[in-house]
């Protein structure tokens, strides 16, 4: 997706907004992302594994794109499981269906390119050629060379449990102009979870999956999105 990423960055630089993002969700990007996906991850409610999907990759991707073009593709609920935490409590996890995971990963790559080009230089988290060590070095430089009275450390508690979907989509619309791409983001947000055979309509599962792949995007939203 290297060439496509350069195209997106160039469009953002020239026009401020990028259109037709959904065109980057294509056979080339989906197959490339499939090859990058871990092969040993647990399956979702459809029981589809990497190996099974790979057996008929061309046909699977072709059928997926046909459904996306017809707008009949709808992400399935994520399978809810729990894993133990160090404090003895349980952490809930959502395991998406493989095809949903694949589409979400490609869309996350696209959104990443949109927002990477407009990040501030002072944003260090999860960015190419930047690290927490770079942030610490810059902080040390500022403290040593400037008059600093306070250093503020902040965290957002329960972001995925409380995110406002309408406001989130409005924020994405500031930098993108593709209703079809936004439509699929909305469908992911509303795909919900399946726990003990019961469907629950919750948005945070897709957000968590995208955050795992492109956490810098969420860092930007949190800092500059006026949530």
């Amino acid at each position: 997706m290297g060439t496509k990423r350069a195209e997106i960055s160039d469009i953002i630089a020239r026009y401020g907004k990028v259109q037709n993002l959904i065109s980057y969700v294509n056979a080339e990007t989906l197959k490339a992302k499939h090859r990058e996906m871990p092969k040993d991850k647990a399956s979702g409610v459809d029981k589809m594994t990497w190996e099974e999907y790979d057996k008929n990759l061309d046909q699977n991707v072709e059928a997926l794109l046909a459904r996306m073009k017809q707008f009949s593709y709808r992400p399935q609920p994520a399978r809810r499981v729990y894993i133990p935490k160090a404090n003895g409590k349980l952490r809930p996890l959502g395991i998406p269906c493989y095809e949903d995971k694949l589409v979400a990963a490609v869309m996350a790559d696209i959104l990443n390119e949109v927002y990477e080009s407009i990040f501030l230089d002072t944003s260090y988290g999860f960015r190419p050629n930047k690290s927490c060590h770079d942030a610490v070095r810059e902080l040390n430089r500022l403290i040593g060379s400037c008059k600093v009275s306070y250093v503020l450390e902040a965290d957002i508690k329960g972001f995925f449990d409380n995110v406002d979907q309408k406001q989130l989509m409005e924020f994405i619309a500031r930098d993108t102009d593709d209703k079809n791409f936004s439509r699929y983001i909305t469908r992911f947000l509303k795909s919900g979870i399946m726990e003990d055979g019961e469907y629950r309509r919750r948005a945070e599962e897709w957000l968590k999956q995208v955050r795992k792949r492109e956490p810098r995007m969420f860092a930007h939203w949190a800092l500059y999105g006026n949530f």
Side-chain angles (χ1 to χ4, degrees):
M1 193 175 172
T3 303
K4 303 297 184 183
R5 289 175 175 174
E7 290 177 5
I8 294 172
S9 299
D10 182 64
I11 292 171
I12 288 289
R14 286 169 177 259
Y15 306 109
K17 275 191 175 185
V18 60
Q19 299 177 332
N20 201 25
L21 285 173
I22 199 67
S23 68
Y24 296 104
V25 184
N26 53 46
E28 178 186 355
T29 56
L30 287 168
K31 291 177 184 178
K33 183 56 63 177
H34 168 74
R35 290 189 287 269
E36 296 175 7
M37 299 288 274
K39 301 179 182 181
D40 58 348
K41 294 296 183 179
S43 59
V45 296
D46 64 345
K47 307 297 183 182
M48 177 65 72
T49 63
W50 187 98
E51 289 83 0
E52 288 296 322
Y53 201 83
D54 188 66
K55 289 178 182 178
N56 298 291
L57 180 61
D58 291 341
Q59 297 93 321
N60 287 333
V61 169
E62 182 180 350
L64 169 61
L65 288 172
R67 282 181 282 128
M68 292 190 73
K69 290 177 181 178
Q70 297 169 1
F71 299 107
S72 61
Y73 166 69
R74 292 185 177 276
Q76 300 184 61
R79 181 167 63 89
R80 169 58 59 85
V81 297
Y82 293 87
I83 61 173
K85 298 171 63 175
N87 60 8
K89 296 183 179 180
L90 295 176
R91 181 190 303 277
L93 292 179
I95 303 176
C97 295
Y98 183 79
E99 203 164 60
D100 298 338
K101 193 185 305 183
L102 190 62
V103 174
V106 172
M107 293 179 69
D109 282 346
I110 295 168
L111 285 174
N112 174 61
E113 290 308 311
V114 171
Y115 287 99
E116 177 61 30
S117 62
I118 59 177
F119 278 158
L120 298 180
D121 289 339
T122 50
S123 295
Y124 285 87
F126 302 98
R127 295 182 65 188
N129 303 315
K130 288 180 179 285
S131 69
C132 58
H133 299 290
D134 295 324
V136 171
R137 277 193 289 269
E138 178 63 9
L139 183 60
N140 287 336
R141 186 190 69 79
L142 291 172
I143 292 175
S145 60
C146 305
K147 182 179 179 180
V148 177
S149 300
Y150 300 95
V151 176
L152 176 64
E153 180 182 5
D155 188 19
I156 300 176
K157 182 179 180 181
F159 173 79
F160 299 109
D161 296 318
N162 300 290
V163 62
D164 186 312
Q165 292 185 38
K166 182 175 182 293
Q167 195 170 13
L168 173 64
M169 296 308 299
E170 288 175 352
F171 184 77
I172 293 176
R174 299 178 194 176
D175 305 300
T176 66
D177 188 14
D178 187 337
K179 293 182 179 179
N180 292 333
F181 192 85
S182 296
R183 178 187 296 186
Y184 278 117
I185 292 179
T186 301
R187 288 187 179 183
F188 271 106
L189 289 171
K190 295 180 178 180
S191 59
I193 61 172
M194 187 71 72
E195 182 176 2
D196 296 329
E198 180 181 348
Y199 171 74
R200 299 181 183 179
R201 186 172 179 174
R202 301 181 70 178
E204 70 269 17
E205 295 304 328
W206 179 78
L207 292 172
K208 288 177 181 177
Q209 289 301 319
V210 176
R211 181 183 180 276
K212 290 178 183 177
R213 302 186 178 281
E214 301 301 342
R216 50 189 139 163
M217 186 171 65
F218 282 94
H220 179 87
W221 287 348
L223 288 172
Y224 312 115
N226 298 319
F227 278 126

